[in-house]
């Protein structure tokens, strides 16, 4: 003898309706949990791809120097900066960041030029990259020089704000040899992951950045 069916039909008055708002909250919570575990895997995959593509020699004098492990910048805000500059400014985009030493003369101007040209050479991918200069002192980057580099974000905070962020960058490379006037690459999650020597051929910098944008869908 066949047992009676117990299948519940959605339109049945006894079927409990699911609140759409509760369903959305559940989905958001699930996506957040997935992201917590996925982001480290994505970053690890990027680094692995970079090392493999360089024959395991990424970080020698002919290419950018990999900061291992990548170091996340802690929360910061430049209260009086115009435009606004804080941790969120570095989120969602790849950032070429430069911290000039002393007066911005030959090497400083050349680094700013290389940053601009590398970004332009990315063509249709250039909107995924921004340029930031973190001055050592107020007025280090003159108005005339800024006018030559449209789109360059000059982080003009207070002396204490600038010094604190520069200290964070220095701490990230504390296990490496000192490298004045380096250009740093910050990933879209706010991690310092590469530095480029000031005497590096900009074509090598472009090659590293291009490769990162190719293997990564973030930023």
């Amino acid at each position: 003898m066949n047992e009676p069916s117990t299948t519940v039909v959605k339109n049945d008055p006894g079927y409990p309706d699911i609140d759409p708002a509760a369903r959305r909250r559940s989905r958001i919570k699930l996506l957040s949990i997935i992201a917590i575990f996925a982001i480290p895997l994505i970053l690890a995959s990027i680094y692995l791809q970079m090392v493999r593509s360089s024959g395991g020699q990424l970080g020698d004098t002919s290419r950018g120097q990999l900061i291992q492990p990548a170091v996340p910048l802690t929360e910061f805000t430049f209260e009086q900066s115009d435009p606004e500059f804080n941790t969120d400014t570095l989120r969602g985009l790849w950032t070429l960041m430069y911290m000039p030493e002393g007066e911005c003369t030959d090497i400083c101007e050349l680094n700013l030029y290389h940053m601009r040209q590398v970004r332009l050479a990315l063509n249709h991918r250039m909107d995924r990259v921004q340029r930031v200069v973190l001055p050592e002192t107020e007025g280090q980057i003159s108005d005339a020089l800024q006018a030559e580099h449209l789109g360059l974000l000059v982080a003009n905070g207070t002396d204490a704000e600038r010094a604190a962020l520069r200290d964070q960058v220095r701490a990230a490379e504390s296990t490496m040899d000192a490298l004045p006037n380096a250009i740093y690459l910050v990933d879209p999650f706010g991690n310092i992951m590469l530095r480029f020597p000031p005497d590096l051929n900009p074509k090598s910098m472009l090659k590293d950045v291009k490769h990162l944008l190719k293997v990564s869908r973030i930023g």
Side-chain angles (χ1 to χ4, degrees):
M1 180 176 179
N2 294 331
E3 294 183 1
S5 173
T6 57
T7 303
V8 178
V9 180
K10 187 173 181 178
N11 292 329
D12 189 295
Y15 184 83
D17 291 332
I18 299 177
D19 181 9
R23 185 186 294 116
R24 283 195 298 272
R25 287 195 296 271
S26 296
R27 287 177 179 172
I28 292 172
K29 185 179 294 185
L30 177 61
L31 290 174
S32 299
I33 293 172
I34 292 173
I36 290 173
F37 290 98
I39 288 173
L41 292 175
I42 291 171
L43 290 175
S45 176
I46 292 171
Y47 298 141
L48 181 60
Q49 289 287 344
M50 290 183 67
V51 173
R52 281 178 174 173
S53 67
S54 64
Q57 297 181 359
L58 184 67
D60 62 21
T61 56
S62 65
R63 295 284 295 277
Q65 300 175 358
L66 194 61
I67 295 175
Q68 301 183 75
V71 178
L73 291 169
T74 58
E75 295 289 329
F76 67 87
T77 298
F78 284 22
E79 297 288 352
Q80 301 175 9
S81 180
D82 185 20
E84 184 179 34
F85 186 65
N86 53 37
T87 317
D88 289 339
T89 309
L90 304 180
R91 300 272 165 79
L93 291 172
W94 296 89
T95 302
L96 288 171
M97 185 166 68
Y98 174 48
M99 306 191 310
E101 307 280 350
E103 293 185 22
C104 189
T105 52
D106 295 347
I107 192 168
C108 172
E109 293 180 7
L110 188 61
N111 269 347
L112 295 179
Y113 173 76
H114 286 166
M115 290 166 65
R116 184 184 70 192
Q117 296 308 109
V118 164
R119 181 177 179 272
L120 290 173
L122 293 170
N123 299 318
H124 65 283
R125 294 191 180 102
M126 65 185 291
D127 289 340
R128 297 173 64 187
V129 177
Q130 64 180 341
R131 295 163 296 139
V132 171
V133 61
L134 180 58
E136 188 175 34
T137 58
E138 185 177 354
Q140 187 178 24
I141 308 299
S142 67
D143 292 341
L145 189 56
Q146 290 184 52
E148 295 179 19
H149 297 276
L150 295 179
L152 175 69
L153 196 162
V154 180
N156 283 317
T158 64
D159 290 346
E161 289 168 344
R162 291 193 306 270
L165 185 52
R166 291 171 72 99
D167 286 346
Q168 281 201 59
V169 178
R170 295 291 181 239
E173 57 180 355
S174 61
T175 61
M176 307 168 74
D177 293 336
L179 188 62
N181 282 297
I183 295 173
Y184 299 87
L185 184 67
V186 183
D187 72 21
F189 298 114
N191 299 298
I192 305 174
M193 58 173 296
L194 274 174
R195 69 177 187 179
F196 301 101
D199 57 351
L200 181 70
N201 188 320
K203 290 183 179 179
S204 294
M205 189 192 312
L206 175 61
K207 186 174 181 180
D208 277 353
V209 176
K210 262 188 174 180
H211 184 69
L212 274 170
L213 296 182
K214 182 179 179 180
V215 301
S216 170
R217 297 302 177 204
I218 57 175

